[in-house]
Short mmCIF file of all heavy atoms in Angstrom, two decimals:
data_model
loop_
_atom_site.label_atom_id
_atom_site.label_comp_id
_atom_site.label_asym_id
_atom_site.label_seq_id
_atom_site.Cartn_x
_atom_site.Cartn_y
_atom_site.Cartn_z
N MET A 1 80.22 87.59 166.62
CA MET A 1 80.43 86.13 166.29
C MET A 1 80.69 85.35 167.58
O MET A 1 81.81 85.43 168.11
CB MET A 1 81.72 86.14 165.35
CG MET A 1 81.35 86.48 163.91
SD MET A 1 82.38 86.09 162.65
CE MET A 1 83.90 85.45 163.44
N LYS A 2 79.73 84.47 167.80
CA LYS A 2 79.94 83.58 168.91
C LYS A 2 80.38 82.23 168.44
O LYS A 2 79.96 81.77 167.46
CB LYS A 2 78.75 83.45 169.66
CG LYS A 2 78.41 84.72 170.55
CD LYS A 2 77.13 84.34 171.39
CE LYS A 2 76.84 85.64 172.25
NZ LYS A 2 75.65 85.52 173.01
N ASN A 3 81.33 81.66 169.08
CA ASN A 3 81.91 80.34 168.72
C ASN A 3 81.38 79.31 169.76
O ASN A 3 82.10 78.81 170.52
CB ASN A 3 83.36 80.55 168.87
CG ASN A 3 84.06 79.59 167.79
OD1 ASN A 3 83.25 78.99 166.92
ND2 ASN A 3 85.39 79.41 167.77
N LYS A 4 80.10 79.15 169.64
CA LYS A 4 79.46 78.28 170.60
C LYS A 4 79.79 76.78 170.30
O LYS A 4 79.70 76.32 169.17
CB LYS A 4 77.97 78.45 170.53
CG LYS A 4 77.17 77.86 171.65
CD LYS A 4 75.74 78.00 171.41
CE LYS A 4 74.98 77.26 172.57
NZ LYS A 4 73.60 77.09 172.34
N LYS A 5 80.18 76.08 171.38
CA LYS A 5 80.40 74.62 171.22
C LYS A 5 79.17 73.86 171.24
O LYS A 5 78.32 74.14 172.04
CB LYS A 5 81.44 74.22 172.21
CG LYS A 5 82.79 74.80 171.93
CD LYS A 5 83.83 74.12 172.80
CE LYS A 5 85.29 74.51 172.47
NZ LYS A 5 85.52 75.73 173.14
N GLU A 6 79.09 72.73 170.50
CA GLU A 6 78.07 71.76 170.55
C GLU A 6 78.50 70.42 170.82
O GLU A 6 79.61 70.05 170.26
CB GLU A 6 77.34 71.81 169.14
CG GLU A 6 76.67 73.08 168.88
CD GLU A 6 76.02 72.97 167.47
OE1 GLU A 6 75.95 71.97 166.88
OE2 GLU A 6 75.63 74.12 166.93
N LYS A 7 77.80 69.72 171.65
CA LYS A 7 78.15 68.27 171.86
C LYS A 7 77.77 67.36 170.71
O LYS A 7 76.76 67.67 170.07
CB LYS A 7 77.46 67.90 173.16
CG LYS A 7 78.04 68.53 174.37
CD LYS A 7 78.16 67.47 175.46
CE LYS A 7 79.02 68.04 176.60
NZ LYS A 7 78.29 68.05 177.92
N ILE A 8 78.56 66.40 170.47
CA ILE A 8 78.34 65.36 169.56
C ILE A 8 77.29 64.45 170.14
O ILE A 8 77.52 63.94 171.33
CB ILE A 8 79.61 64.69 169.12
CG1 ILE A 8 80.70 65.59 168.64
CG2 ILE A 8 79.34 63.51 168.25
CD1 ILE A 8 80.42 66.21 167.33
N LYS A 9 76.29 64.14 169.36
CA LYS A 9 75.26 63.19 169.89
C LYS A 9 75.35 61.99 169.03
O LYS A 9 75.50 61.92 167.88
CB LYS A 9 73.85 63.80 169.74
CG LYS A 9 73.50 64.74 170.86
CD LYS A 9 72.14 65.24 170.72
CE LYS A 9 71.87 66.38 171.80
NZ LYS A 9 70.48 66.87 171.71
N CYS A 10 74.97 60.81 169.73
CA CYS A 10 74.90 59.55 169.06
C CYS A 10 73.69 59.59 168.08
O CYS A 10 72.60 59.87 168.56
CB CYS A 10 74.72 58.40 170.06
SG CYS A 10 74.41 56.81 169.35
N PRO A 11 73.87 59.15 166.88
CA PRO A 11 72.73 59.20 165.88
C PRO A 11 71.76 58.10 166.28
O PRO A 11 70.61 58.09 165.68
CB PRO A 11 73.44 59.09 164.54
CG PRO A 11 74.67 58.37 164.79
CD PRO A 11 75.10 58.84 166.17
N PHE A 12 72.10 57.10 167.03
CA PHE A 12 71.24 56.00 167.24
C PHE A 12 70.40 56.18 168.42
O PHE A 12 69.16 55.98 168.48
CB PHE A 12 72.06 54.64 167.42
CG PHE A 12 72.79 54.24 166.35
CD1 PHE A 12 74.15 54.59 166.22
CD2 PHE A 12 72.22 53.71 165.19
CE1 PHE A 12 74.99 54.14 165.09
CE2 PHE A 12 72.95 53.28 164.00
CZ PHE A 12 74.30 53.57 163.95
N CYS A 13 70.92 56.76 169.50
CA CYS A 13 70.12 56.86 170.79
C CYS A 13 70.07 58.29 171.23
O CYS A 13 69.36 58.62 172.26
CB CYS A 13 70.72 55.96 171.78
SG CYS A 13 72.32 56.47 172.46
N GLY A 14 70.83 59.18 170.67
CA GLY A 14 70.79 60.61 171.08
C GLY A 14 71.61 60.97 172.26
O GLY A 14 71.58 62.04 172.77
N TYR A 15 72.49 59.90 172.70
CA TYR A 15 73.26 60.17 173.89
C TYR A 15 74.34 61.30 173.64
O TYR A 15 74.96 61.23 172.60
CB TYR A 15 74.05 58.85 174.23
CG TYR A 15 74.93 59.04 175.48
CD1 TYR A 15 74.37 58.74 176.72
CD2 TYR A 15 76.22 59.21 175.38
CE1 TYR A 15 75.11 58.82 177.88
CE2 TYR A 15 77.11 59.26 176.48
CZ TYR A 15 76.52 59.10 177.74
OH TYR A 15 77.35 59.03 178.82
N GLU A 16 74.46 62.15 174.57
CA GLU A 16 75.51 63.26 174.34
C GLU A 16 76.89 62.66 174.78
O GLU A 16 77.14 62.37 175.89
CB GLU A 16 75.12 64.40 175.29
CG GLU A 16 74.05 65.25 174.64
CD GLU A 16 73.98 66.67 175.33
OE1 GLU A 16 74.58 66.79 176.42
OE2 GLU A 16 73.21 67.45 174.79
N MET A 17 77.69 62.68 173.77
CA MET A 17 79.05 62.15 174.02
C MET A 17 79.95 63.28 174.63
O MET A 17 79.63 64.50 174.41
CB MET A 17 79.68 61.77 172.68
CG MET A 17 78.90 60.69 172.01
SD MET A 17 79.11 59.06 172.85
CE MET A 17 80.74 58.59 172.39
N PRO A 18 80.93 62.90 175.33
CA PRO A 18 81.79 63.92 176.02
C PRO A 18 82.82 64.57 174.89
O PRO A 18 83.91 64.57 175.15
CB PRO A 18 82.45 63.17 177.06
CG PRO A 18 82.57 61.79 176.68
CD PRO A 18 81.31 61.57 175.79
N ILE A 19 82.26 64.86 173.80
CA ILE A 19 83.08 65.40 172.73
C ILE A 19 82.39 66.70 172.32
O ILE A 19 81.14 66.71 172.08
CB ILE A 19 83.18 64.49 171.52
CG1 ILE A 19 83.71 63.18 171.93
CG2 ILE A 19 83.92 65.07 170.34
CD1 ILE A 19 83.48 62.01 170.96
N GLU A 20 83.14 67.72 172.13
CA GLU A 20 82.52 69.01 171.69
C GLU A 20 83.13 69.45 170.44
O GLU A 20 84.35 69.19 170.16
CB GLU A 20 82.80 70.13 172.81
CG GLU A 20 81.85 69.88 174.02
CD GLU A 20 82.07 70.97 175.03
OE1 GLU A 20 83.16 71.73 175.01
OE2 GLU A 20 81.17 71.15 175.78
N ARG A 21 82.36 70.16 169.66
CA ARG A 21 82.90 70.61 168.42
C ARG A 21 82.58 72.14 168.33
O ARG A 21 81.57 72.55 168.96
CB ARG A 21 82.24 69.96 167.18
CG ARG A 21 80.68 70.21 167.15
CD ARG A 21 80.07 69.73 165.83
NE ARG A 21 78.89 70.48 165.66
CZ ARG A 21 78.63 70.94 164.46
NH1 ARG A 21 79.36 70.71 163.47
NH2 ARG A 21 77.44 71.62 164.29
N ASP A 22 83.28 72.85 167.63
CA ASP A 22 82.96 74.33 167.43
C ASP A 22 82.34 74.43 166.01
O ASP A 22 82.25 73.43 165.26
CB ASP A 22 84.04 75.28 167.67
CG ASP A 22 85.16 75.18 166.72
OD1 ASP A 22 84.87 74.85 165.54
OD2 ASP A 22 86.32 75.53 167.04
N LYS A 23 81.73 75.52 165.75
CA LYS A 23 80.89 75.72 164.68
C LYS A 23 81.60 75.48 163.32
O LYS A 23 81.06 75.10 162.37
CB LYS A 23 80.35 77.23 164.72
CG LYS A 23 79.03 77.31 164.15
CD LYS A 23 78.59 78.79 164.22
CE LYS A 23 77.38 79.08 163.33
NZ LYS A 23 77.02 80.50 163.35
N ASN A 24 82.88 75.78 163.41
CA ASN A 24 83.71 75.68 162.17
C ASN A 24 84.38 74.34 161.99
O ASN A 24 85.26 74.17 161.10
CB ASN A 24 84.71 76.77 162.11
CG ASN A 24 84.08 78.15 162.08
OD1 ASN A 24 83.02 78.30 161.51
ND2 ASN A 24 84.59 79.05 162.87
N ALA A 25 84.09 73.37 162.81
CA ALA A 25 84.81 72.12 162.77
C ALA A 25 84.51 71.41 161.46
O ALA A 25 83.44 71.49 160.95
CB ALA A 25 84.31 71.25 163.97
N VAL A 26 85.49 70.65 161.03
CA VAL A 26 85.35 69.89 159.87
C VAL A 26 85.92 68.44 160.16
O VAL A 26 87.02 68.30 160.75
CB VAL A 26 86.16 70.36 158.62
CG1 VAL A 26 85.98 69.44 157.45
CG2 VAL A 26 85.58 71.73 158.25
N CYS A 27 85.10 67.39 160.03
CA CYS A 27 85.51 66.15 160.35
C CYS A 27 84.75 65.07 159.49
O CYS A 27 83.59 65.17 159.19
CB CYS A 27 85.05 65.92 161.88
SG CYS A 27 85.50 64.31 162.50
N SER A 28 85.62 64.02 159.14
CA SER A 28 85.04 62.87 158.65
C SER A 28 85.93 61.70 158.83
O SER A 28 87.14 61.87 159.06
CB SER A 28 84.71 63.04 157.11
OG SER A 28 85.87 63.06 156.40
N GLY A 29 85.48 60.41 158.75
CA GLY A 29 86.29 59.34 158.90
C GLY A 29 86.80 59.05 160.35
O GLY A 29 87.72 58.29 160.64
N LEU A 30 86.06 59.73 161.29
CA LEU A 30 86.47 59.48 162.73
C LEU A 30 85.32 58.75 163.37
O LEU A 30 84.15 59.17 163.36
CB LEU A 30 86.64 60.94 163.45
CG LEU A 30 87.10 60.89 164.87
CD1 LEU A 30 88.45 60.36 165.02
CD2 LEU A 30 87.09 62.23 165.37
N TYR A 31 85.66 57.67 163.99
CA TYR A 31 84.69 56.74 164.57
C TYR A 31 84.77 56.66 166.14
O TYR A 31 85.88 56.69 166.59
CB TYR A 31 84.81 55.35 163.97
CG TYR A 31 84.47 55.38 162.53
CD1 TYR A 31 85.43 55.62 161.56
CD2 TYR A 31 83.19 54.96 162.19
CE1 TYR A 31 85.16 55.55 160.24
CE2 TYR A 31 82.86 54.92 160.79
CZ TYR A 31 83.90 55.23 159.81
OH TYR A 31 83.55 55.24 158.53
N VAL A 32 83.69 56.72 166.77
CA VAL A 32 83.66 56.59 168.26
C VAL A 32 82.55 55.58 168.59
O VAL A 32 81.59 55.45 167.90
CB VAL A 32 83.30 57.96 168.89
CG1 VAL A 32 84.59 58.90 168.65
CG2 VAL A 32 82.11 58.60 168.48
N ARG A 33 82.76 55.10 169.75
CA ARG A 33 81.75 54.18 170.29
C ARG A 33 80.86 54.94 171.26
O ARG A 33 81.31 55.59 172.17
CB ARG A 33 82.42 53.00 170.95
CG ARG A 33 81.47 51.94 171.43
CD ARG A 33 82.19 50.81 172.10
NE ARG A 33 83.07 50.12 171.32
CZ ARG A 33 82.74 49.02 170.54
NH1 ARG A 33 81.51 48.50 170.65
NH2 ARG A 33 83.66 48.42 169.83
N CYS A 34 79.58 54.78 171.12
CA CYS A 34 78.66 55.33 172.01
C CYS A 34 78.85 54.96 173.43
O CYS A 34 79.06 53.69 173.62
CB CYS A 34 77.24 55.13 171.58
SG CYS A 34 75.91 55.93 172.53
N LYS A 35 78.68 55.80 174.35
CA LYS A 35 79.03 55.48 175.79
C LYS A 35 77.77 55.09 176.51
O LYS A 35 77.79 54.75 177.65
CB LYS A 35 79.66 56.58 176.42
CG LYS A 35 81.12 56.83 175.89
CD LYS A 35 81.93 57.76 176.78
CE LYS A 35 82.61 56.90 177.86
NZ LYS A 35 83.49 57.75 178.71
N ALA A 36 76.65 55.20 175.84
CA ALA A 36 75.32 54.81 176.47
C ALA A 36 75.35 53.33 176.79
O ALA A 36 75.75 52.49 175.89
CB ALA A 36 74.12 55.25 175.71
N ARG A 37 74.88 52.92 177.90
CA ARG A 37 75.02 51.55 178.27
C ARG A 37 74.23 50.66 177.35
O ARG A 37 74.71 49.42 177.12
CB ARG A 37 74.39 51.36 179.72
CG ARG A 37 75.45 51.55 180.81
CD ARG A 37 74.93 51.35 182.11
NE ARG A 37 75.74 52.05 183.09
CZ ARG A 37 75.38 52.11 184.38
NH1 ARG A 37 74.21 51.67 184.81
NH2 ARG A 37 76.20 52.84 185.24
N ASN A 38 73.15 51.05 176.84
CA ASN A 38 72.29 50.10 176.01
C ASN A 38 72.64 50.24 174.54
O ASN A 38 71.84 49.62 173.75
CB ASN A 38 70.84 50.34 176.33
CG ASN A 38 70.48 50.26 177.74
OD1 ASN A 38 70.97 49.31 178.40
ND2 ASN A 38 69.51 51.00 178.28
N CYS A 39 73.55 51.11 174.26
CA CYS A 39 73.78 51.30 172.81
C CYS A 39 75.16 50.79 172.28
O CYS A 39 75.10 49.78 171.65
CB CYS A 39 73.77 52.92 172.56
SG CYS A 39 73.86 53.33 170.85
N LYS A 40 76.23 51.40 172.66
CA LYS A 40 77.53 50.91 172.35
C LYS A 40 77.80 50.77 170.92
O LYS A 40 78.74 49.98 170.48
CB LYS A 40 77.81 49.51 173.05
CG LYS A 40 77.59 49.60 174.58
CD LYS A 40 78.80 49.92 175.32
CE LYS A 40 78.64 49.75 176.83
NZ LYS A 40 79.79 50.26 177.51
N LYS A 41 77.05 51.44 170.18
CA LYS A 41 77.28 51.36 168.73
C LYS A 41 78.41 52.34 168.24
O LYS A 41 78.71 53.31 168.91
CB LYS A 41 76.02 51.75 167.93
CG LYS A 41 74.86 50.73 168.03
CD LYS A 41 73.69 51.21 167.00
CE LYS A 41 72.84 49.99 166.91
NZ LYS A 41 71.80 49.94 167.91
N ILE A 42 79.02 51.93 167.26
CA ILE A 42 80.12 52.75 166.63
C ILE A 42 79.51 53.62 165.53
O ILE A 42 78.86 53.04 164.66
CB ILE A 42 81.33 51.90 166.10
CG1 ILE A 42 81.98 51.20 167.31
CG2 ILE A 42 82.31 52.75 165.41
CD1 ILE A 42 82.98 50.14 166.95
N PHE A 43 79.65 54.85 165.65
CA PHE A 43 79.27 55.72 164.57
C PHE A 43 80.37 56.71 164.13
O PHE A 43 81.33 56.95 164.77
CB PHE A 43 77.96 56.52 164.91
CG PHE A 43 78.19 57.41 166.10
CD1 PHE A 43 78.49 58.75 165.91
CD2 PHE A 43 77.98 56.98 167.46
CE1 PHE A 43 78.78 59.64 167.05
CE2 PHE A 43 78.28 57.87 168.53
CZ PHE A 43 78.52 59.14 168.32
N GLU A 44 80.24 57.21 162.89
CA GLU A 44 81.22 58.08 162.34
C GLU A 44 80.78 59.56 162.65
O GLU A 44 79.56 59.91 162.57
CB GLU A 44 81.18 57.98 160.79
CG GLU A 44 82.24 58.83 160.13
CD GLU A 44 82.24 58.70 158.61
OE1 GLU A 44 81.44 58.01 158.06
OE2 GLU A 44 83.23 59.32 158.07
N ILE A 45 81.65 60.34 163.10
CA ILE A 45 81.45 61.74 163.32
C ILE A 45 81.73 62.44 161.94
O ILE A 45 82.84 62.44 161.40
CB ILE A 45 82.39 62.29 164.36
CG1 ILE A 45 82.02 61.55 165.69
CG2 ILE A 45 82.14 63.79 164.48
CD1 ILE A 45 82.97 62.03 166.79
N ARG A 46 80.69 62.96 161.36
CA ARG A 46 80.86 63.64 160.13
C ARG A 46 80.31 65.13 160.26
O ARG A 46 79.18 65.34 160.65
CB ARG A 46 80.03 63.05 159.02
CG ARG A 46 80.67 61.92 158.37
CD ARG A 46 79.73 61.28 157.34
NE ARG A 46 80.44 60.57 156.29
CZ ARG A 46 80.80 61.17 155.13
NH1 ARG A 46 80.29 62.33 154.84
NH2 ARG A 46 81.47 60.48 154.30
N ILE A 47 81.12 66.03 160.10
CA ILE A 47 80.86 67.46 160.36
C ILE A 47 81.34 68.23 159.17
O ILE A 47 82.55 68.35 158.81
CB ILE A 47 81.40 68.01 161.59
CG1 ILE A 47 81.04 67.18 162.80
CG2 ILE A 47 81.10 69.43 161.78
CD1 ILE A 47 81.80 67.47 164.04
N ASN A 48 80.45 68.87 158.39
CA ASN A 48 80.84 69.80 157.41
C ASN A 48 81.76 69.11 156.34
O ASN A 48 82.61 69.82 155.78
CB ASN A 48 81.41 71.06 157.89
CG ASN A 48 80.52 71.83 158.76
OD1 ASN A 48 79.32 71.85 158.46
ND2 ASN A 48 81.02 72.53 159.69
N SER A 49 81.72 67.82 156.25
CA SER A 49 82.77 67.15 155.50
C SER A 49 82.57 67.29 153.98
O SER A 49 83.47 66.98 153.23
CB SER A 49 82.77 65.63 155.75
OG SER A 49 81.55 65.07 155.67
N GLU A 50 81.33 67.90 153.57
CA GLU A 50 81.18 68.09 152.15
C GLU A 50 81.96 69.47 151.65
O GLU A 50 82.11 69.60 150.52
CB GLU A 50 79.73 68.24 151.82
CG GLU A 50 79.01 69.43 152.39
CD GLU A 50 78.66 69.33 153.83
OE1 GLU A 50 79.03 68.32 154.48
OE2 GLU A 50 78.01 70.26 154.33
N ILE A 51 82.38 70.14 152.61
CA ILE A 51 83.03 71.40 152.29
C ILE A 51 84.57 71.16 152.10
O ILE A 51 85.17 70.56 152.94
CB ILE A 51 82.84 72.52 153.34
CG1 ILE A 51 81.39 72.78 153.47
CG2 ILE A 51 83.64 73.71 153.07
CD1 ILE A 51 80.98 73.52 154.76
N LYS A 52 85.05 71.41 151.00
CA LYS A 52 86.55 71.19 150.77
C LYS A 52 87.30 72.51 150.64
O LYS A 52 86.80 73.49 150.09
CB LYS A 52 86.68 70.40 149.50
CG LYS A 52 86.12 68.94 149.70
CD LYS A 52 86.31 68.13 148.41
CE LYS A 52 85.76 66.80 148.60
NZ LYS A 52 85.70 66.02 147.42
ZN1 ZN B 1 74.07 55.54 171.28
#
């Protein structure tokens, strides 16, 4: 069982944010602003949020 971390990517431009999640992360309702210069959009980080 490897617990490989994945970077969060902006859904608008694909920029890799300096945020990592592990495979079992669960997240919703968390908003970040994209750090890409031409993007700057705010998006919600949703990970496995359908699992309760
Ligand atoms: Zn972006």
Side-chain angles (χ1 to χ4, degrees):
M1 282 196 354
K2 284 186 181 174
N3 210 8
K4 195 185 173 189
K5 290 197 173 77
E6 293 177 13
K7 286 221 170 120
I8 302 293
K9 282 186 183 175
C10 172
F12 297 102
C13 71
Y15 182 86
E16 282 194 347
M17 300 290 285
I19 300 167
E20 290 182 338
R21 61 171 208 137
D22 69 29
K23 211 179 169 187
N24 300 317
V26 177
C27 180
S28 68
L30 182 65
Y31 292 84
V32 293
R33 186 183 296 272
C34 179
K35 296 192 84 178
R37 273 183 203 171
N38 301 326
C39 185
K40 304 271 188 191
K41 289 191 168 83
I42 293 171
F43 62 91
E44 182 181 7
I45 298 174
R46 278 177 153 264
I47 302 162
N48 297 327
S49 56
E50 71 279 4
I51 299 166
K52 289 178 182 171

